[in-house]
Amino acid sequence: NFSTSTTANDVNGHGTSTAGLAAASTNNAIGVAGLGYQARVLNAKGMNDDGTGDYSAIAQAIIWATDRGANVINLSLGGYASSSTLEGAVNYAYDHGVVLVAAAGNQSLTDPFYPAALNNVIGVTATDRYDALAIFSNHGPWVDVAAPGVGTLTTVLGGSYANTSGTSMASPIVAGLAALVLPRMTDANGNGRVN
């Protein structure tokens, strides 16, 4: 817990929803299935209970997760200001072989949104049910991929399920896919990493 909260638990519900999309248990006939088949979640809380936070707390969470063996880090958060502290943490994780995935933001803007706009991060925008850019999604040349982000059924606080929307929901779908395929990847360029 790197936030100002007194608990590492998800009080806001945002983390529960994103975790479900990436890694909810599969093949158990209950609820939903996360895309990252048999992936495990390592909870590093960098945002406060009200959904706000600062880059230094997020950076600490990224480094902590990296040092504890995270292979993929989902960052369904961000802001419009760049930060050398955040970029340093992202580069640290990337240099340790971590795949970093981040939401592009929900203001329908083209301004770079961080950390999604950083070089070593997969920036994700959201699509709707017609596979078109979601009306709220940020977009631009700094975005790398798009994924479903409107009406995505996932886990919510209290042990139930609900439809959710946002680039915060598209991002963990990509992170779950990364977790799914990462074990099959090979170090093609010989740099010691598969990311």
Side-chain angles (χ1 to χ4, degrees):
N1 179 17
F2 300 97
S3 72
T4 60
S5 176
T6 58
T7 178
N9 294 335
D10 179 19
V11 176
N12 180 280
H14 193 259
T16 300
S17 295
T18 58
L21 289 164
S25 295
T26 60
N27 200 27
N28 61 4
I30 300 171
V32 297
L35 192 56
Y37 179 70
Q38 295 183 332
R40 295 176 306 183
V41 174
L42 176 65
N43 179 38
K45 186 173 182 175
M47 301 294 281
N48 303 323
D49 292 340
D50 65 358
T52 64
D54 57 53
Y55 287 153
S56 63
I58 297 164
Q60 290 175 49
I62 291 170
I63 292 168
W64 180 88
T66 299
D67 290 345
R68 276 145 190 85
N71 295 310
V72 178
I73 296 177
N74 179 64
L75 298 159
S76 287
L77 47 78
Y80 292 100
S82 62
S83 163
S84 59
T85 300
L86 181 61
E87 186 170 12
V90 161
N91 292 341
Y92 175 83
Y94 184 82
D95 290 344
H96 283 80
V98 177
V99 175
L100 297 110
V101 183
N106 302 319
Q107 291 78 34
S108 192
L109 299 174
T110 58
D111 300 340
F113 193 73
Y114 298 95
L118 294 173
N119 288 334
N120 290 329
V121 176
I122 300 170
V124 185
T125 196
T127 58
D128 62 21
R129 66 184 183 150
Y130 302 106
D131 203 28
L133 179 69
I135 193 167
F136 54 79
S137 287
N138 288 357
H139 54 281
W142 52 271
V143 172
D144 299 294
V145 297
V150 177
T152 53
L153 186 64
T154 189
T155 52
V156 294
L157 289 177
S160 60
Y161 308 91
N163 286 314
T164 58
S165 296
T167 60
S168 283
M169 303 305 135
S171 183
I173 290 174
V174 174
L177 178 60
L180 180 67
V181 301
L182 199 60
R184 303 272 192 256
M185 302 300 292
T186 59
D187 181 14
N189 63 4
N191 69 358
R193 306 187 312 258
V194 296
N195 64 336

